[in-house]
Amino acid sequence: MATATDTLVDAPRSSSSERTMRDVRPGRVIAWTLLFLGGVLMVMPIVLMLSTSLKTSDQIYDLRIIPASPTLANYVSVLTSSEFIRWFVNSTVVAVISTASNVFFGGLVGYTLAKFDFRGRYIVFLAILSTLMIPTEMLVVPWYLMASQFGWLDSYWGIMFPGMMEAFGVFLMKQFFETVPDDFLEAARVDGMNEFTIWWRVAMPLVTPAISAMAIFTFLGNWTAFFWPLIVTTSQDLYTLPVGLSSFAVRQTVQWEMIMTGASLATLPTLVVFLLLQRYIVRGVMLAGLKG
Amino acid sequence: MAEIQLEGLAKRFGNVTAVHDMDLTIADGEFVVFVGPSGCGKSTTLRMMAGLEDISSGTLHLAGEPVNHKDPKQRNIAMVFQNYAIYPHVTVRKNIGFGLYTSKLSSAEKTARINETAEMLGLEDLLDRRPAALSGGQRQRVAIGRAMVRNPAAFLFDEPLSNLDAQLRAQMRIEIKKLHQRLGTTIVYVTHDQVEAMTMADRIVVMRDGKVLQIGRPIDLYEHPADVFTARFIGSPSMNMIEGNMRDGLIRHDNADLPIELDRKIGHAGRVLLGVRPHDLHVTDGSPRVSGERGLHLHGTVSTVEPLGAETLVHLDLAEGSVIATAPGRTLPAIGEKLSVHAAPESLYVFDAESEKAL
Ligand SMILES: Nc1ncnc2c1ncn2[C@@H]1O[C@H](COP(=O)(O)OP(=O)(O)OP(=O)(O)O)[C@@H](O)[C@H]1O
Ligand SMILES: [Mg+2]
């Protein structure tokens, strides 16, 4: 509010701040509303999932968010009467091994492509990248034939082999390794480390952010993979979680409350992985900023 | 401890020759500094010594033994890099410990060596910190520590101080010099900084376009530069260069009234560059007594004055070009003032204008 004692300099400033408040408010309101709706849209399925998992089967079409009589019976039944724990273990084994393998090979190949000059390096890189353009649907049949030829059907290896090393990871690691100054590697070379040790002890720790990002993507991708595990496994023992959960739906009736309970349990590890690795991403970025 | 011998050492990258047949013997315990313009092959030469770059032709001897095909680790040479190259993900202790990576010492001995090194560099209290929590000078000390800890046959430094500010650079310069005196290890040191070169080197190697221009003690290079580049590189501020024409042992040029007579006979005719260091070019009162003296007399207009306390640097615009001269500390000529300056004949350098070689 401008008073008579305001100086000439102050007066326009205070009126302009009034104007910004008046002008921007509607925009802000719209933005906040949109963000709020977006947030609700994102959170709703998760809330419904949790809420359904706490209902009995005759309540599931009662769309109240807070169930009338919440019960943990579904959890008990999922954990005891189905092979849920087995599937959980399967998923964990597959996701952990695939992630480790992707980090290892992606790191190794990305490093080689970024830091060693050899004939045909660019062609190799292009060949690896080009595999990104082939959709999974096209690959499933060859994969299946390959798995059946080698007797890999219905085994852990059968589930994992197509994803042990992915072009995207190689690409990501290569891009990151290119930002690592050669001096680090040469200092290690002068100190007498062999090339593998240099990669493992010096280069890899310098790209922790890339490794964390890649680990999250690979873990989540494998954890939620459905199509290929469904095709390659036949025995219930080897189902991964998504395949196992979907089997609740193919019996006579769709057991929504069971699916939702299983799904709720299944999101826990992804949450843990994300929270754990997120810290490293932040720390990695900080380190990179202070390099030198 | 080792003598380093370069015999016709050359490096070619495709059809670019980065280093032409280079001959140089670095004595055991000597401190040799490589200087030269950017891209002249200093780092490449250093990297060939370290074993980080293949040698295209010639032989490299370390302690009398040819090492062309030996890996860096077999040469027992340590290198310190411009951006330190200490690992951000491990502590100072581990960083220094990396220098002992191939060492066969017991872990107790290693610990003792690391502590000893840290103590020598004043890093004892920082051993458990990470590089991110160190200052630039401390980081550079860690890099030196990693090089020192394994008692190498020689140290190679590639512009180690260029990331530090002027004051820290001066301090580290002295520390490295002291370290050399204490350890007595051969050091090959690359720099852009002529002060570093002058103050640290036993011998300076001046390079240009992959070739050695001149090798000598700092004072020799200062007093007897073999060419214009060395003359201008060594000494600060840089040597003034004035174009002239030489005939019958006399130099004529547009700025001087009379032909300049030198204190020595040079049987050269043609375009020359006349060199005179700012410290030899004195502001005079222009009296007939002074103007009668032999040597170089110039008249110009003051364009800039830099009072340094003990002396004043006076920048003069001449009819052709400009020069820097010195005046006593309390003399502060006004800008735009007309001044005369004089240099004695024995302080003049003459270079062929074509080849830029000293005459
Ligand atoms: N890997 C390489 N491939 C091709 N040319 C190279 C390579 N490394 C260096 N060169 C060339 O060799 C020459 C010498 O390079 P070098 O790095 O030794 O110069 P320098 O004297 O250390 O320069 P600066 O003072 O800028 O560090 C340069 O012309 C450079 O472009
Ligand atoms: Mg260099």
Side-chain angles (χ1 to χ4, degrees):
Chain A
M1 265 176 282
T3 63
T5 54
D6 273 343
T7 63
L8 280 174
V9 182
D10 278 343
R13 196 191 294 155
S14 58
S15 78
S16 86
S17 76
E18 268 169 38
R19 200 186 319 127
T20 28
M21 277 176 73
R22 225 180 292 131
D23 286 354
V24 164
R25 255 215 173 126
R28 276 199 155 184
V29 169
I30 292 172
W32 281 102
T33 313
L34 283 176
L35 283 175
F36 178 76
L37 286 178
V40 168
L41 220 63
M42 302 296 280
V43 173
M44 254 339 256
I46 297 170
V47 171
L48 273 180
M49 175 181 84
L50 277 173
S51 131
T52 309
S53 75
L54 299 172
K55 292 173 183 171
T56 53
S57 60
D58 51 337
Q59 288 177 329
I60 54 171
Y61 294 108
D62 166 12
L63 289 180
R64 253 179 296 184
I65 302 250
I66 313 270
S69 48
T71 167
L72 287 175
N74 294 329
Y75 286 86
V76 176
S77 121
V78 160
L79 290 174
T80 53
S81 67
S82 76
E83 290 201 75
F84 185 87
I85 292 179
R86 174 81 212 199
W87 301 334
F88 194 96
V89 170
N90 291 345
S91 270
T92 309
V93 168
V94 167
V96 167
I97 293 181
S98 300
T99 304
S101 159
N102 266 286
V103 167
F104 185 84
F105 290 111
L108 206 55
V109 176
Y111 177 74
T112 308
L113 288 173
K115 289 298 177 193
F116 290 92
D117 213 355
F118 53 91
R119 199 179 285 264
R121 161 167 88 158
Y122 192 60
I123 292 174
V124 170
F125 180 57
L126 282 187
I128 293 174
L129 268 196
S130 66
T131 64
L132 278 176
M133 290 164 216
I134 306 170
T136 314
E137 288 77 4
M138 265 178 72
L139 291 168
V140 162
V141 172
W143 282 345
Y144 190 86
L145 292 176
M146 190 171 158
S148 86
Q149 286 281 313
F150 288 117
W152 296 343
L153 288 177
D154 216 17
S155 70
Y156 276 157
W157 177 244
I159 303 174
M160 291 185 303
F161 82 88
M164 291 299 274
M165 181 177 149
E166 278 166 48
F168 178 71
V170 171
F171 173 72
L172 186 77
M173 296 305 278
K174 173 182 180 283
Q175 297 311 102
F176 263 79
F177 277 124
E178 274 172 0
T179 67
V180 172
D182 285 341
D183 284 2
F184 282 116
L185 315 176
E186 295 187 333
R189 229 160 260 157
V190 174
D191 284 343
M193 287 183 213
N194 64 38
E195 294 300 325
F196 184 83
T197 318
I198 293 173
W199 169 71
W200 182 245
R201 303 264 316 254
V202 177
M204 284 296 265
L206 289 172
V207 295
T208 351
I211 295 176
S212 310
M214 187 175 155
I216 287 180
F217 290 138
T218 319
F219 188 90
L220 293 187
N222 277 285
W223 189 259
T224 55
F226 175 67
F227 193 38
W228 175 248
L230 176 71
I231 289 169
V232 80
T233 53
T234 40
S235 45
Q236 283 224 359
D237 273 8
L238 278 163
Y239 282 180
T240 57
L241 265 181
V243 179
L245 291 184
S246 76
S247 72
F248 287 142
V250 293
R251 302 199 187 134
Q252 306 85 336
T253 51
V254 180
Q255 298 165 286
W256 284 116
E257 74 287 359
M258 297 293 265
I259 293 181
M260 291 304 162
T261 307
S264 301
L265 287 169
T267 52
L268 287 178
T270 60
L271 215 71
V272 170
V273 166
F274 187 76
L275 291 179
L276 272 181
L277 290 183
Q278 190 196 32
R279 238 182 52 218
Y280 285 100
I281 290 185
V282 173
R283 204 165 81 189
V285 169
M286 273 161 51
L287 273 182
L290 290 164
K291 173 187 68 201
Chain B
M1 304 286 138
E3 179 188 88
I4 306 172
Q5 203 181 351
L6 286 66
E7 251 178 49
L9 212 63
K11 177 68 193 180
R12 286 176 287 274
F13 293 106
N15 45 20
V16 179
T17 305
V19 179
H20 294 269
D21 304 334
M22 185 164 170
D23 293 307
L24 175 69
T25 304
I26 299 167
D28 184 16
E30 198 177 12
F31 197 132
V32 169
V33 173
F34 284 18
V35 297
S38 192
C40 70
K42 305 180 298 284
S43 299
T44 307
T45 310
L46 214 62
R47 292 161 53 80
M48 284 195 283
M49 292 184 196
L52 291 171
E53 208 80 73
D54 289 336
I55 294 168
S56 303
S57 62
T59 322
L60 176 71
H61 292 273
L62 263 187
E65 223 188 306
V67 292
N68 281 32
H69 298 292
K70 284 197 174 167
D71 284 341
K73 63 179 160 204
Q74 295 167 304
R75 300 187 187 189
N76 191 23
I77 277 184
M79 186 152 172
V80 178
F81 295 82
Q82 178 176 353
N83 63 11
Y84 324 141
I86 53 174
Y87 309 128
H89 58 283
V90 294
T91 59
V92 168
R93 187 190 305 282
K94 287 226 175 94
N95 261 294
I96 296 178
F98 267 113
L100 291 172
Y101 188 78
T102 49
S103 144
K104 292 185 179 57
L105 296 175
S106 72
S107 70
E109 283 170 309
K110 282 187 182 176
T111 309
R113 279 280 276 283
I114 293 170
N115 289 336
E116 197 182 310
T117 306
E119 202 178 313
M120 216 186 277
L121 294 166
L123 292 169
E124 312 97 301
D125 300 331
L126 308 175
L127 278 172
D128 295 310
R129 289 217 199 152
R130 295 211 179 201
L134 299 180
S135 71
Q138 288 165 338
R139 288 182 206 185
Q140 189 54 278
R141 265 191 280 252
V142 174
I144 294 173
R146 186 176 65 194
M148 253 171 67
V149 71
R150 71 181 141 109
N151 238 333
F155 289 111
L156 308 179
F157 287 86
D158 196 350
E159 305 191 31
L161 307 184
S162 53
N163 283 351
L164 304 180
D165 62 50
Q167 203 179 351
L168 206 50
R169 202 151 60 213
Q171 187 190 332
M172 288 301 294
R173 198 165 71 211
I174 294 165
E175 280 186 35
I176 294 177
K177 182 89 187 152
K178 275 192 191 149
L179 211 62
H180 176 245
Q181 280 157 1
R182 191 150 156 194
L183 301 174
T185 312
T186 313
I187 292 185
V188 185
Y189 189 106
V190 168
T191 182
H192 269 119
D193 183 328
Q194 68 99 17
V195 181
E196 276 174 36
M198 289 293 281
T199 54
M200 300 170 95
D202 292 326
R203 276 195 303 161
I204 296 177
V205 177
V206 185
M207 292 181 71
R208 189 178 188 180
D209 299 333
K211 297 190 185 98
V212 173
L213 288 185
Q214 192 173 2
I215 304 176
R217 293 186 305 148
I219 193 68
D220 293 338
L221 262 55
Y222 185 84
E223 287 178 349
H224 308 289
D227 61 14
V228 173
F229 176 78
T230 311
R232 288 190 60 86
F233 182 81
I234 305 284
S236 170
S238 282
M239 186 185 281
N240 298 302
M241 291 290 166
I242 301 161
E243 279 192 42
N245 228 322
M246 185 159 199
R247 194 150 34 85
D248 305 331
L250 294 176
I251 298 171
R252 284 158 223 280
H253 72 103
D254 305 340
N255 295 305
D257 337 319
L258 293 168
I260 301 151
E261 207 185 322
L262 297 170
D263 62 335
R264 54 197 184 276
K265 290 269 166 286
I266 299 175
H268 176 86
R271 305 291 301 161
V272 293
L273 288 170
L274 187 64
V276 57
R277 294 199 183 275
H279 290 111
D280 295 325
L281 192 59
H282 302 287
V283 173
T284 66
D285 52 8
S287 66
R289 183 183 57 78
V290 178
S291 33
E293 273 183 42
R294 292 193 317 138
L296 174 69
H297 289 276
L298 296 170
H299 313 286
T301 317
V302 178
S303 66
T304 311
V305 179
E306 296 180 86
L308 300 176
E311 60 186 12
T312 302
L313 296 179
V314 182
H315 296 240
L316 283 186
D317 282 338
L318 309 175
E320 283 276 304
S322 61
V323 291
I324 304 177
T326 42
R330 291 178 190 279
T331 318
L332 288 178
I335 293 181
E337 193 180 327
K338 299 252 186 269
L339 276 186
S340 303
V341 291
H342 170 249
E346 59 273 15
S347 66
L348 298 179
Y349 298 86
V350 185
F351 305 93
D352 183 310
E354 280 293 305
S355 66
E356 302 203 335
K357 294 270 178 250
L359 294 172

mmCIF file of all heavy atoms in Angstrom, chain A residues 125-146:
data_model
loop_
_atom_site.group_PDB
_atom_site.id
_atom_site.type_symbol
_atom_site.label_atom_id
_atom_site.label_comp_id
_atom_site.label_asym_id
_atom_site.label_seq_id
_atom_site.Cartn_x
_atom_site.Cartn_y
_atom_site.Cartn_z
ATOM 1 N N PHE A 125 29.934 -49.564 -31.868
ATOM 2 C CA PHE A 125 28.998 -48.758 -31.087
ATOM 3 C C PHE A 125 27.659 -48.642 -31.805
ATOM 4 O O PHE A 125 26.599 -48.823 -31.195
ATOM 5 C CB PHE A 125 29.617 -47.379 -30.833
ATOM 6 C CG PHE A 125 28.737 -46.468 -30.035
ATOM 7 C CD1 PHE A 125 28.276 -46.841 -28.788
ATOM 8 C CD2 PHE A 125 28.375 -45.229 -30.535
ATOM 9 C CE1 PHE A 125 27.464 -46.004 -28.038
ATOM 10 C CE2 PHE A 125 27.558 -44.385 -29.797
ATOM 11 C CZ PHE A 125 27.100 -44.773 -28.554
ATOM 12 N N LEU A 126 27.713 -48.370 -33.110
ATOM 13 C CA LEU A 126 26.466 -48.253 -33.874
ATOM 14 C C LEU A 126 25.698 -49.565 -33.871
ATOM 15 O O LEU A 126 24.474 -49.582 -33.742
ATOM 16 C CB LEU A 126 26.773 -47.840 -35.314
ATOM 17 C CG LEU A 126 27.079 -46.363 -35.528
ATOM 18 C CD1 LEU A 126 27.181 -46.060 -37.012
ATOM 19 C CD2 LEU A 126 25.996 -45.494 -34.895
ATOM 20 N N ALA A 127 26.424 -50.659 -34.013
ATOM 21 C CA ALA A 127 25.765 -51.971 -34.035
ATOM 22 C C ALA A 127 25.039 -52.202 -32.709
ATOM 23 O O ALA A 127 23.895 -52.663 -32.688
ATOM 24 C CB ALA A 127 26.794 -53.067 -34.285
ATOM 25 N N ILE A 128 25.717 -51.852 -31.620
ATOM 26 C CA ILE A 128 25.077 -52.033 -30.310
ATOM 27 C C ILE A 128 23.840 -51.134 -30.189
ATOM 28 O O ILE A 128 22.768 -51.577 -29.784
ATOM 29 C CB ILE A 128 26.083 -51.733 -29.174
ATOM 30 C CG1 ILE A 128 27.176 -52.791 -29.169
ATOM 31 C CG2 ILE A 128 25.370 -51.690 -27.834
ATOM 32 C CD1 ILE A 128 28.298 -52.523 -28.187
ATOM 33 N N LEU A 129 23.994 -49.882 -30.611
ATOM 34 C CA LEU A 129 22.864 -48.949 -30.530
ATOM 35 C C LEU A 129 21.685 -49.409 -31.368
ATOM 36 O O LEU A 129 20.529 -49.247 -30.983
ATOM 37 C CB LEU A 129 23.292 -47.567 -31.015
ATOM 38 C CG LEU A 129 23.799 -46.581 -29.982
ATOM 39 C CD1 LEU A 129 23.800 -45.188 -30.575
ATOM 40 C CD2 LEU A 129 22.931 -46.605 -28.729
ATOM 41 N N SER A 130 21.990 -49.975 -32.535
ATOM 42 C CA SER A 130 20.903 -50.315 -33.457
ATOM 43 C C SER A 130 19.988 -51.374 -32.849
ATOM 44 O O SER A 130 18.815 -51.457 -33.209
ATOM 45 C CB SER A 130 21.464 -50.787 -34.793
ATOM 46 O OG SER A 130 22.152 -51.993 -34.595
ATOM 47 N N THR A 131 20.506 -52.169 -31.909
ATOM 48 C CA THR A 131 19.633 -53.177 -31.301
ATOM 49 C C THR A 131 18.508 -52.526 -30.501
ATOM 50 O O THR A 131 17.487 -53.142 -30.232
ATOM 51 C CB THR A 131 20.421 -54.112 -30.355
ATOM 52 O OG1 THR A 131 20.929 -53.333 -29.266
ATOM 53 C CG2 THR A 131 21.559 -54.785 -31.067
ATOM 54 N N LEU A 132 18.695 -51.248 -30.140
ATOM 55 C CA LEU A 132 17.639 -50.543 -29.413
ATOM 56 C C LEU A 132 16.386 -50.365 -30.260
ATOM 57 O O LEU A 132 15.304 -50.135 -29.739
ATOM 58 C CB LEU A 132 18.142 -49.158 -28.990
ATOM 59 C CG LEU A 132 18.982 -49.064 -27.725
ATOM 60 C CD1 LEU A 132 19.458 -47.642 -27.534
ATOM 61 C CD2 LEU A 132 18.171 -49.519 -26.522
ATOM 62 N N MET A 133 16.576 -50.430 -31.574
ATOM 63 C CA MET A 133 15.441 -50.132 -32.457
ATOM 64 C C MET A 133 14.593 -51.349 -32.748
ATOM 65 O O MET A 133 13.598 -51.258 -33.451
ATOM 66 C CB MET A 133 15.963 -49.540 -33.765
ATOM 67 C CG MET A 133 16.523 -48.157 -33.555
ATOM 68 S SD MET A 133 17.528 -47.713 -34.967
ATOM 69 C CE MET A 133 18.811 -46.795 -34.178
ATOM 70 N N ILE A 134 15.003 -52.516 -32.248
ATOM 71 C CA ILE A 134 14.222 -53.721 -32.512
ATOM 72 C C ILE A 134 13.274 -53.938 -31.343
ATOM 73 O O ILE A 134 13.710 -54.079 -30.202
ATOM 74 C CB ILE A 134 15.159 -54.931 -32.667
ATOM 75 C CG1 ILE A 134 16.218 -54.621 -33.727
ATOM 76 C CG2 ILE A 134 14.354 -56.167 -33.034
ATOM 77 C CD1 ILE A 134 17.323 -55.639 -33.778
ATOM 78 N N PRO A 135 11.966 -53.954 -31.614
ATOM 79 C CA PRO A 135 11.018 -54.120 -30.504
ATOM 80 C C PRO A 135 11.050 -55.550 -29.949
ATOM 81 O O PRO A 135 11.305 -56.501 -30.676
ATOM 82 C CB PRO A 135 9.666 -53.814 -31.141
ATOM 83 C CG PRO A 135 9.862 -53.990 -32.595
ATOM 84 C CD PRO A 135 11.297 -53.754 -32.898
ATOM 85 N N THR A 136 10.809 -55.665 -28.649
ATOM 86 C CA THR A 136 10.815 -56.965 -27.982
ATOM 87 C C THR A 136 9.916 -57.970 -28.699
ATOM 88 O O THR A 136 10.269 -59.138 -28.852
ATOM 89 C CB THR A 136 10.306 -56.796 -26.537
ATOM 90 O OG1 THR A 136 10.965 -55.680 -25.974
ATOM 91 C CG2 THR A 136 10.572 -58.016 -25.716
ATOM 92 N N GLU A 137 8.765 -57.505 -29.160
ATOM 93 C CA GLU A 137 7.804 -58.402 -29.799
ATOM 94 C C GLU A 137 8.433 -59.168 -30.953
ATOM 95 O O GLU A 137 8.103 -60.322 -31.209
ATOM 96 C CB GLU A 137 6.593 -57.610 -30.318
ATOM 97 C CG GLU A 137 5.663 -57.110 -29.232
ATOM 98 C CD GLU A 137 6.204 -55.887 -28.514
ATOM 99 O OE1 GLU A 137 7.276 -55.382 -28.902
ATOM 100 O OE2 GLU A 137 5.558 -55.431 -27.537
ATOM 101 N N MET A 138 9.354 -58.485 -31.657
ATOM 102 C CA MET A 138 9.997 -59.140 -32.789
ATOM 103 C C MET A 138 11.018 -60.167 -32.338
ATOM 104 O O MET A 138 11.380 -61.065 -33.083
ATOM 105 C CB MET A 138 10.724 -58.097 -33.639
ATOM 106 C CG MET A 138 9.907 -57.586 -34.789
ATOM 107 S SD MET A 138 10.885 -56.336 -35.634
ATOM 108 C CE MET A 138 12.121 -57.357 -36.413
ATOM 109 N N LEU A 139 11.511 -59.984 -31.150
ATOM 110 C CA LEU A 139 12.613 -60.833 -30.688
ATOM 111 C C LEU A 139 12.125 -62.071 -29.959
ATOM 112 O O LEU A 139 12.850 -63.044 -29.809
ATOM 113 C CB LEU A 139 13.522 -60.031 -29.746
ATOM 114 C CG LEU A 139 14.317 -58.930 -30.427
ATOM 115 C CD1 LEU A 139 14.952 -58.013 -29.394
ATOM 116 C CD2 LEU A 139 15.395 -59.556 -31.309
ATOM 117 N N VAL A 140 10.857 -62.016 -29.513
ATOM 118 C CA VAL A 140 10.376 -63.089 -28.659
ATOM 119 C C VAL A 140 10.450 -64.452 -29.342
ATOM 120 O O VAL A 140 10.900 -65.431 -28.751
ATOM 121 C CB VAL A 140 8.945 -62.768 -28.180
ATOM 122 C CG1 VAL A 140 8.266 -64.005 -27.667
ATOM 123 C CG2 VAL A 140 8.999 -61.710 -27.098
ATOM 124 N N VAL A 141 10.081 -64.486 -30.608
ATOM 125 C CA VAL A 141 10.097 -65.781 -31.300
ATOM 126 C C VAL A 141 11.519 -66.330 -31.431
ATOM 127 O O VAL A 141 11.786 -67.471 -31.027
ATOM 128 C CB VAL A 141 9.369 -65.688 -32.664
ATOM 129 C CG1 VAL A 141 9.569 -66.974 -33.458
ATOM 130 C CG2 VAL A 141 7.895 -65.410 -32.443
ATOM 131 N N PRO A 142 12.472 -65.521 -31.940
ATOM 132 C CA PRO A 142 13.850 -66.036 -31.966
ATOM 133 C C PRO A 142 14.377 -66.430 -30.583
ATOM 134 O O PRO A 142 15.023 -67.462 -30.450
ATOM 135 C CB PRO A 142 14.663 -64.873 -32.518
ATOM 136 C CG PRO A 142 13.713 -63.902 -33.077
ATOM 137 C CD PRO A 142 12.338 -64.242 -32.624
ATOM 138 N N TRP A 143 14.061 -65.623 -29.601
ATOM 139 C CA TRP A 143 14.502 -65.963 -28.239
ATOM 140 C C TRP A 143 13.938 -67.327 -27.839
ATOM 141 O O TRP A 143 14.639 -68.155 -27.278
ATOM 142 C CB TRP A 143 13.993 -64.925 -27.222
ATOM 143 C CG TRP A 143 14.748 -63.643 -27.191
ATOM 144 C CD1 TRP A 143 15.960 -63.397 -27.736
ATOM 145 C CD2 TRP A 143 14.314 -62.432 -26.564
ATOM 146 N NE1 TRP A 143 16.321 -62.102 -27.504
ATOM 147 C CE2 TRP A 143 15.332 -61.475 -26.778
ATOM 148 C CE3 TRP A 143 13.177 -62.051 -25.852
ATOM 149 C CZ2 TRP A 143 15.242 -60.163 -26.313
ATOM 150 C CZ3 TRP A 143 13.086 -60.756 -25.381
ATOM 151 C CH2 TRP A 143 14.112 -59.813 -25.609
ATOM 152 N N TYR A 144 12.655 -67.489 -28.143
ATOM 153 C CA TYR A 144 12.005 -68.721 -27.734
ATOM 154 C C TYR A 144 12.651 -69.920 -28.420
ATOM 155 O O TYR A 144 12.949 -70.928 -27.799
ATOM 156 C CB TYR A 144 10.508 -68.666 -28.044
ATOM 157 C CG TYR A 144 9.763 -69.814 -27.421
ATOM 158 C CD1 TYR A 144 9.296 -69.733 -26.108
ATOM 159 C CD2 TYR A 144 9.557 -71.001 -28.127
ATOM 160 C CE1 TYR A 144 8.644 -70.795 -25.522
ATOM 161 C CE2 TYR A 144 8.912 -72.074 -27.546
ATOM 162 C CZ TYR A 144 8.457 -71.962 -26.241
ATOM 163 O OH TYR A 144 7.825 -73.018 -25.655
ATOM 164 N N LEU A 145 12.877 -69.768 -29.738
ATOM 165 C CA LEU A 145 13.503 -70.857 -30.492
ATOM 166 C C LEU A 145 14.879 -71.170 -29.918
ATOM 167 O O LEU A 145 15.239 -72.327 -29.725
ATOM 168 C CB LEU A 145 13.629 -70.473 -31.971
ATOM 169 C CG LEU A 145 12.292 -70.353 -32.706
ATOM 170 C CD1 LEU A 145 12.517 -69.886 -34.131
ATOM 171 C CD2 LEU A 145 11.567 -71.699 -32.684
ATOM 172 N N MET A 146 15.611 -70.103 -29.632
ATOM 173 C CA MET A 146 16.948 -70.267 -29.083
ATOM 174 C C MET A 146 16.882 -70.995 -27.738
ATOM 175 O O MET A 146 17.600 -71.971 -27.497
ATOM 176 C CB MET A 146 17.549 -68.872 -28.897
ATOM 177 C CG MET A 146 19.001 -68.839 -28.551
ATOM 178 S SD MET A 146 19.525 -67.105 -28.647
ATOM 179 C CE MET A 146 20.959 -67.177 -27.620
#
